Amino acid sequence: MDTLLSLSRAIDAVSRFFGRFIIWLVLAAALISAANAIARKAFNIGSNAFLEIQWYLFGAVFLLGAGYTLLQNAHVRIDVLAGKLSMRTRMYIDIGGILVFLLPMCWFMIEFAWPVVVGAYVSGEMSSNAGGLIRWPVYALVPLGFGLLGLQAISELIKRFAFLQGKAPNPLLHGAHESNEAHDAEHAQALHDDAGEVRK
């Protein structure tokens, strides 16, 4: 398990890198958008390339940030229902969801998108708009983004199994993967809650 947790930490580091990286993509998109608007209004100068790069950057932020979002537990959950379940039950639900839904979806999207990327690269596919950009880089964001999401899903799977074995902090708590200070107390409380439910 220690080796798997080391792998999990390495994956988390990759996700954090992309989380920091996409912040600059947001800034770049905002600056390009502002510059394009000023050029159009003030100087009557426009470019489809400027418009398309904004779409490319938006796609990059959305796709490359998916793994980081999972790391931060910022994805959508049905908290009204989940909050009524024991921590152990929530872990098992997460494990099932990752194995049955998330990882297969990531694999399907990578397998589906990769031939499209290769085809666009080989053919040199360009945007149909005048002055538009080459297409394969934005297509490549799909397998890259889902690859990063799949890696983070593996990390989350490891952390949930480790928590159930008492070897890692609660991964459902924001930032719990970065600090082990409250690990023992959190795990003891979770087991206590489970034991209380069994006695009921």
Side-chain angles (χ1 to χ4, degrees):
M1 183 55 74
D2 289 341
T3 301
L4 290 175
L5 285 172
S6 295
L7 173 62
S8 174
R9 286 190 290 270
I11 294 173
D12 290 353
V14 172
S15 293
R16 289 191 193 94
F17 169 80
F18 278 96
R20 291 189 294 269
F21 173 69
I22 62 175
I23 293 173
W24 295 103
L25 297 185
V26 174
L27 176 61
L31 293 175
I32 291 171
S33 177
N36 192 37
I38 292 171
R40 284 181 181 273
K41 297 296 183 181
F43 306 106
N44 199 29
I45 299 173
S47 169
N48 285 325
F50 279 130
L51 291 175
E52 291 187 5
I53 194 64
Q54 294 174 52
W55 305 337
Y56 285 21
L57 290 171
F58 175 79
V61 169
F62 180 79
L63 289 165
L64 300 183
Y68 180 72
T69 302
L70 182 60
L71 169 65
Q72 295 297 320
N73 286 308
H75 51 292
V76 176
R77 286 182 178 274
I78 307 176
D79 292 330
V80 175
L81 298 178
K84 297 179 180 180
L85 302 174
S86 70
M87 193 58 65
R88 184 177 294 276
T89 301
R90 294 174 67 182
M91 291 296 167
Y92 283 125
I93 290 174
D94 278 3
I95 289 170
I98 291 170
L99 289 174
V100 177
F101 297 106
L102 183 53
L103 285 175
M105 181 194 69
C106 290
W107 175 258
F108 170 79
M109 291 301 297
I110 293 170
E111 189 176 35
F112 175 80
W114 185 247
V116 177
V117 177
V118 173
Y121 177 80
V122 171
S123 66
E125 181 182 346
M126 299 287 295
S127 168
S128 59
N129 297 315
L133 302 175
I134 193 167
R135 284 291 175 83
W136 73 263
V138 72
Y139 292 164
L141 290 172
V142 175
L144 178 57
F146 278 96
L148 292 170
L149 179 59
L151 280 176
Q152 190 57 47
I154 292 172
S155 174
E156 297 304 314
L157 196 63
I158 292 170
K159 286 183 281 191
R160 279 153 178 76
F161 277 118
F163 174 76
L164 289 172
Q165 295 178 16
K167 296 181 179 179
N170 185 347
L172 295 180
L173 298 180
H174 179 73
H177 45 274
E178 297 175 346
S179 173
N180 291 322
E181 294 178 357
H183 167 222
D184 292 337
E186 292 168 2
H187 190 71
Q189 183 61 47
L191 293 178
H192 179 268
D193 292 345
D194 288 348
E197 288 191 5
V198 170
R199 284 195 297 271
K200 291 178 182 178

